[in-house]
Amino acid sequence: QAILSVLTLVLLISGCVMDILDDLMPYPLLFFRAYIWLFLVNSLMGAYGNLVVVLCLDRYVAMHRPLYYRNQFAKRRVRYSMIVGSIILGLLTCLHWLVINCIDDQGDIVENFEVTDDIPYIIIRTLSYLFKYLVPGVSMATITWANILFLRRSYDDELRIARQESMDLVVNSHTNISRISIFLAVTFIVCNWPYAVIDYFYDESVRSTINI
């Protein structure tokens, strides 16, 4: 997640630099900014959201099925598979960004209305937003709530019954990592859902009409 965050930040900064140097950009950079940049940035954001879901799921399995977690879920093969799957899903949900822009005769990057106004594109775009923002957000909220309820029961029951040091360490470990997953889930929903709604209903033609 930290690597994806750094890569996303680097791409965002590079996009700002390319926008500032718009008139000085060679065609390869212009092509990258028009067709590839948005796809990469949104794919990294999508992969990050999927990894937050994986983290919440990891805590859920660790707390509710500890033996299965230790024997199966915590294996490197499983973890790497979930990481790779999160990245692939992030890429698949952002394929529509590859065709959203085009380069006009003046060398400016504009929205490709010939594609974005078609019904198939609108359907694919809608499904992409659902699987990139809504499904991960709902999954995070559901799993996180189950983790919160489990932690409350742990404090009410297990810590009163067994105060062994090993038990305290296990519960404290679950608590700390669960708090991190809760924080990431809340920030994902608070920050990304409003952006998703605004971005989905954003209309370039309206923007050009009111000269923003």
Side-chain angles (χ1 to χ4, degrees):
Q1 290 176 331
I3 295 175
L4 291 179
S5 299
V6 172
L7 289 176
T8 304
L9 181 60
V10 170
L11 282 174
L12 289 174
I13 294 174
S14 67
C16 294
V17 173
M18 286 185 287
D19 288 341
I20 294 174
L21 303 177
D22 186 21
D23 297 332
L24 303 177
M25 277 196 300
Y27 185 80
L29 278 181
L30 186 66
F31 181 89
F32 173 81
R33 180 66 178 86
Y35 298 104
I36 310 298
W37 184 83
L38 279 174
F39 168 71
L40 290 178
V41 171
N42 284 276
S43 295
L44 289 174
M45 293 172 61
Y48 177 85
N50 295 332
L51 286 176
V52 175
V53 176
V54 170
L55 178 61
C56 296
L57 182 62
D58 177 86
R59 289 300 87 201
Y60 179 88
V61 176
M63 291 186 292
H64 289 79
R65 301 186 61 185
L67 293 179
Y68 173 77
Y69 178 83
R70 179 178 299 179
N71 296 329
Q72 298 293 332
F73 203 81
K75 290 184 177 179
R76 287 188 177 182
R77 176 176 56 83
V78 176
R79 291 183 178 274
Y80 289 154
S81 298
M82 290 189 295
I83 293 173
V84 172
S86 298
I87 295 174
I88 292 176
L89 183 59
L91 293 172
L92 292 177
T93 55
C94 294
L95 288 175
H96 68 281
W97 287 103
L98 291 171
V99 296
I100 194 172
N101 288 330
C102 62
I103 302 174
D104 62 13
D105 296 335
Q106 288 75 35
D108 296 325
I109 300 175
V110 296
E111 183 174 340
N112 189 359
F113 291 108
E114 293 183 0
V115 174
T116 58
D117 289 339
D118 289 342
I119 298 298
Y121 174 85
I122 295 174
I123 295 175
I124 293 174
R125 181 169 177 259
T126 301
L127 292 174
S128 297
Y129 273 74
L130 290 176
F131 283 99
K132 181 182 175 183
Y133 296 108
L134 182 62
V135 173
V138 172
S139 300
M140 292 174 200
T142 303
I143 300 173
T144 297
W145 181 247
N147 292 341
I148 292 174
L149 294 179
F150 182 88
L151 289 174
R152 286 180 178 177
R153 290 196 300 269
S154 297
Y155 280 115
D156 292 340
D157 300 329
E158 295 178 6
L159 288 181
R160 284 205 302 259
I161 296 172
R163 296 299 302 178
Q164 296 92 342
E165 183 179 355
S166 59
M167 187 65 187
D168 288 342
L169 291 175
V170 171
V171 175
N172 288 334
S173 176
H174 286 323
T175 301
N176 293 332
I177 301 177
S178 296
R179 285 175 178 172
I180 295 174
S181 67
I182 291 169
F183 172 78
L184 293 176
V186 171
T187 53
F188 177 88
I189 294 173
V190 171
C191 296
N192 285 279
W193 279 13
Y195 164 78
V197 172
I198 295 173
D199 187 60
Y200 182 80
F201 293 103
Y202 172 83
D203 193 334
E204 178 68 26
S205 61
V206 174
R207 179 179 183 274
S208 60
T209 301
I210 61 179
N211 294 321
I212 295 181

